[in-house]
Amino acid sequence: LCPCLIYGAYIFLPFDAPLLPTVSARLVYTLRCASFATFPIVLGMIVSGISRLCSSALEPFGELHQEVEIHRTYVSQSVHLFILYFFNMAVLATYLPQELLKLIPLLTGLFAISRLIFWMSYAIGRSFRAFGFSMTFLPLLAMLLWNLYGMFVLEPENLLS
């Protein structure tokens, strides 16, 4: 489903990436796009704080109830995945040709939407969360494989430069 979503958005959404000739401009563009991917994480932190505040626990720092634990786990996992996603997107932006830089905001949007889907499905039941997690993890894995291919096959002479 992820390749179909990315391909459809790439073809049908009417925007293009700005002209980014240098690596530093591409990294700034990636950083700016990645800031939008933090929206689900910040929203999860807000909901986690509200649920902890409204919890019926006698001791606020004691054992957490399930409704608080769901949000805390979601935020923790999302932060870990965001770090991996961001570093892979930053490396990907250095290898992509100019005409494919449109993928950076599309991958960012996919990350944000898939984390929200994971959060909703995680709250519904643990058996449904695999869909949202796979929508986050499989593009991450594809980016990692492309980055390794780019580093070791396409440009092995520039590996450390």
Coordinates of all heavy atoms in Angstrom, one line a residue, residues 121-154:
S121 N -5.1 2.6 15.9 CA -5.3 1.2 15.9 C -4.7 0.6 17.2 O -5.2 -0.4 17.7 CB -4.6 0.6 14.7 OG -3.2 0.8 14.7
Y122 N -3.7 1.2 17.8 CA -3.2 0.7 19.0 C -4.2 0.9 20.2 O -4.3 0.1 21.1 CB -1.9 1.4 19.3 CG -1.1 0.9 20.5 CD1 -0.6 -0.4 20.4 CD2 -0.8 1.6 21.6 CE1 0.2 -0.9 21.5 CE2 -0.1 1.1 22.7 CZ 0.4 -0.1 22.6 OH 1.1 -0.6 23.6
A123 N -4.9 2.0 20.1 CA -5.9 2.3 21.1 C -7.1 1.3 21.0 O -7.8 1.0 21.9 CB -6.4 3.7 21.1
I124 N -7.4 0.9 19.7 CA -8.5 0.0 19.5 C -8.2 -1.4 20.0 O -9.0 -2.0 20.7 CB -8.9 0.0 18.0 CG1 -9.5 1.3 17.6 CG2 -9.9 -1.2 17.7 CD1 -9.7 1.4 16.1
G125 N -7.0 -1.9 19.6 CA -6.6 -3.2 20.0 C -5.3 -3.5 19.5 O -4.8 -3.1 18.5
R126 N -4.6 -4.4 20.2 CA -3.2 -4.7 19.8 C -3.1 -5.4 18.5 O -2.1 -5.4 17.9 CB -2.5 -5.4 21.0 CG -2.3 -4.5 22.2 CD -1.6 -5.2 23.3 NE -1.6 -4.4 24.5 CZ -0.4 -4.0 25.0 NH1 0.7 -4.4 24.5 NH2 -0.4 -3.2 26.0
S127 N -4.1 -6.2 18.2 CA -4.0 -7.0 16.9 C -4.1 -6.1 15.7 O -3.7 -6.5 14.6 CB -5.1 -8.0 16.9 OG -6.4 -7.4 17.0
F128 N -4.6 -4.9 15.8 CA -4.8 -4.0 14.6 C -3.6 -3.1 14.4 O -3.5 -2.4 13.4 CB -6.0 -3.1 14.8 CG -7.3 -3.9 14.9 CD1 -8.0 -4.0 16.1 CD2 -7.8 -4.5 13.7 CE1 -9.2 -4.7 16.1 CE2 -9.0 -5.2 13.8 CZ -9.6 -5.3 15.0
R129 N -2.6 -3.0 15.3 CA -1.6 -2.1 15.2 C -0.5 -2.4 14.2 O 0.3 -1.6 13.8 CB -0.9 -1.8 16.5 CG -0.2 -3.0 17.1 CD 0.3 -2.7 18.4 NE 0.9 -4.0 19.0 CZ 1.5 -4.0 20.1 NH1 1.5 -3.0 20.9 NH2 2.0 -5.2 20.5
A130 N -0.5 -3.6 13.7 CA 0.5 -4.0 12.7 C 0.4 -3.2 11.4 O 1.4 -3.0 10.7 CB 0.4 -5.5 12.4
F131 N -0.8 -2.9 11.0 CA -1.0 -2.1 9.8 C -0.3 -0.7 9.9 O 0.5 -0.3 9.0 CB -2.5 -1.9 9.5 CG -2.7 -1.1 8.3 CD1 -2.4 -1.5 7.0 CD2 -3.3 0.2 8.4 CE1 -2.7 -0.7 5.9 CE2 -3.5 1.0 7.3 CZ -3.2 0.6 6.1
G132 N -0.5 0.0 10.9 CA 0.1 1.3 11.1 C 1.6 1.2 11.3 O 2.4 2.0 10.8
F133 N 2.1 0.2 12.0 CA 3.5 0.0 12.2 C 4.2 -0.3 10.9 O 5.2 0.2 10.6 CB 3.8 -1.1 13.2 CG 5.2 -1.3 13.5 CD1 6.0 -0.4 14.2 CD2 5.9 -2.3 12.9 CE1 7.3 -0.5 14.5 CE2 7.3 -2.5 13.1 CZ 8.0 -1.6 13.9
S134 N 3.5 -1.2 10.1 CA 4.2 -1.5 8.8 C 4.2 -0.4 7.8 O 5.1 -0.2 7.0 CB 3.4 -2.7 8.2 OG 2.1 -2.4 7.8
M135 N 3.2 0.5 7.9 CA 3.2 1.7 7.1 C 4.3 2.7 7.5 O 4.7 3.6 6.7 CB 1.9 2.5 7.2 CG 0.8 1.8 6.3 SD -0.7 2.8 6.3 CE -0.2 4.3 5.5
T136 N 4.8 2.6 8.7 CA 6.0 3.4 9.2 C 7.3 2.7 8.9 O 8.2 3.3 8.4 CB 5.9 3.7 10.7 OG1 4.6 4.3 10.9 CG2 7.0 4.6 11.1
F137 N 7.3 1.4 9.2 CA 8.6 0.7 9.2 C 9.0 0.3 7.8 O 10.2 0.3 7.4 CB 8.5 -0.6 10.0 CG 9.8 -1.3 10.1 CD1 10.8 -0.8 10.8 CD2 9.9 -2.6 9.5 CE1 12.0 -1.5 10.9 CE2 11.1 -3.3 9.5 CZ 12.2 -2.7 10.2
L138 N 8.1 -0.1 6.9 CA 8.5 -0.6 5.6 C 9.1 0.5 4.7 O 10.1 0.3 4.0 CB 7.3 -1.3 4.9 CG 6.9 -2.6 5.6 CD1 5.7 -3.2 4.9 CD2 8.1 -3.6 5.6
P139 N 8.5 1.8 4.7 CA 9.2 2.8 4.0 C 10.6 3.2 4.6 O 11.5 3.5 3.9 CB 8.3 4.0 4.1 CG 7.0 3.5 4.3 CD 7.2 2.2 5.1
L140 N 10.7 3.0 5.9 CA 12.0 3.2 6.6 C 13.0 2.2 6.1 O 14.2 2.5 5.8 CB 11.8 3.2 8.1 CG 13.1 3.2 9.0 CD1 13.8 4.5 8.8 CD2 12.7 2.9 10.4
L141 N 12.6 1.0 6.0 CA 13.4 -0.1 5.5 C 13.8 0.1 4.1 O 15.0 -0.1 3.7 CB 12.7 -1.4 5.7 CG 13.5 -2.7 5.4 CD1 14.7 -2.8 6.3 CD2 12.6 -3.9 5.5
A142 N 12.9 0.6 3.2 CA 13.2 0.9 1.8 C 14.2 2.0 1.7 O 15.1 2.0 0.9 CB 11.9 1.2 1.1
M143 N 14.0 3.0 2.5 CA 15.0 4.1 2.5 C 16.4 3.7 2.9 O 17.4 4.1 2.4 CB 14.5 5.3 3.4 CG 13.5 6.1 2.9 SD 13.2 7.6 3.8 CE 12.5 7.0 5.3
L144 N 16.4 2.8 4.0 CA 17.7 2.3 4.4 C 18.4 1.5 3.4 O 19.6 1.7 3.1 CB 17.5 1.5 5.7 CG 18.8 0.8 6.2 CD1 19.8 1.8 6.7 CD2 18.4 -0.2 7.3
L145 N 17.7 0.6 2.7 CA 18.2 -0.2 1.6 C 18.7 0.7 0.4 O 19.8 0.5 -0.1 CB 17.2 -1.2 1.1 CG 16.9 -2.3 2.1 CD1 15.8 -3.2 1.6 CD2 18.2 -3.1 2.5
W146 N 17.9 1.7 0.1 CA 18.3 2.6 -1.0 C 19.6 3.4 -0.6 O 20.5 3.6 -1.4 CB 17.2 3.6 -1.4 CG 17.7 4.6 -2.4 CD1 18.0 5.8 -2.2 CD2 17.9 4.3 -3.8 NE1 18.4 6.4 -3.4 CE2 18.3 5.4 -4.4 CE3 17.7 3.1 -4.6 CZ2 18.6 5.5 -5.8 CZ3 18.0 3.2 -5.9 CH2 18.5 4.4 -6.5
N147 N 19.7 3.8 0.7 CA 20.8 4.6 1.1 C 22.1 3.7 1.1 O 23.2 4.1 0.7 CB 20.6 5.1 2.5 CG 19.6 6.2 2.6 OD1 19.4 6.9 1.6 ND2 19.0 6.5 3.7
L148 N 21.9 2.5 1.5 CA 23.1 1.5 1.5 C 23.5 1.3 0.0 O 24.7 1.2 -0.3 CB 22.8 0.2 2.2 CG 22.6 0.4 3.7 CD1 22.2 -1.0 4.3 CD2 23.9 0.8 4.4
Y149 N 22.5 1.1 -0.8 CA 22.8 0.9 -2.3 C 23.5 2.1 -2.8 O 24.5 2.0 -3.6 CB 21.5 0.7 -3.0 CG 21.7 0.6 -4.5 CD1 22.2 -0.5 -5.1 CD2 21.3 1.6 -5.3 CE1 22.4 -0.6 -6.5 CE2 21.4 1.6 -6.7 CZ 22.0 0.4 -7.3 OH 22.1 0.4 -8.6
G150 N 23.1 3.3 -2.5 CA 23.7 4.5 -3.0 C 25.1 4.7 -2.4 O 26.0 5.1 -3.2
M151 N 25.3 4.3 -1.2 CA 26.7 4.5 -0.6 C 27.7 3.5 -1.1 O 28.8 3.8 -1.4 CB 26.6 4.4 0.9 CG 26.0 5.7 1.6 SD 26.2 5.6 3.3 CE 24.9 4.5 3.8
F152 N 27.2 2.2 -1.2 CA 28.2 1.2 -1.6 C 28.3 0.8 -3.1 O 29.3 0.3 -3.5 CB 27.9 -0.1 -0.8 CG 28.2 0.1 0.7 CD1 27.2 0.1 1.6 CD2 29.5 0.3 1.2 CE1 27.4 0.3 3.0 CE2 29.8 0.5 2.5 CZ 28.7 0.5 3.4
V153 N 27.2 1.1 -3.8 CA 27.2 0.7 -5.2 C 27.3 1.9 -6.1 O 28.1 2.0 -7.1 CB 25.9 -0.1 -5.5 CG1 25.8 -0.4 -7.0 CG2 25.9 -1.4 -4.7
L154 N 26.5 3.0 -5.9 CA 26.5 4.1 -6.8 C 27.7 5.0 -6.6 O 28.3 5.5 -7.6 CB 25.2 4.9 -6.6 CG 23.9 4.2 -7.0 CD1 22.7 5.1 -6.8 CD2 23.9 3.8 -8.5

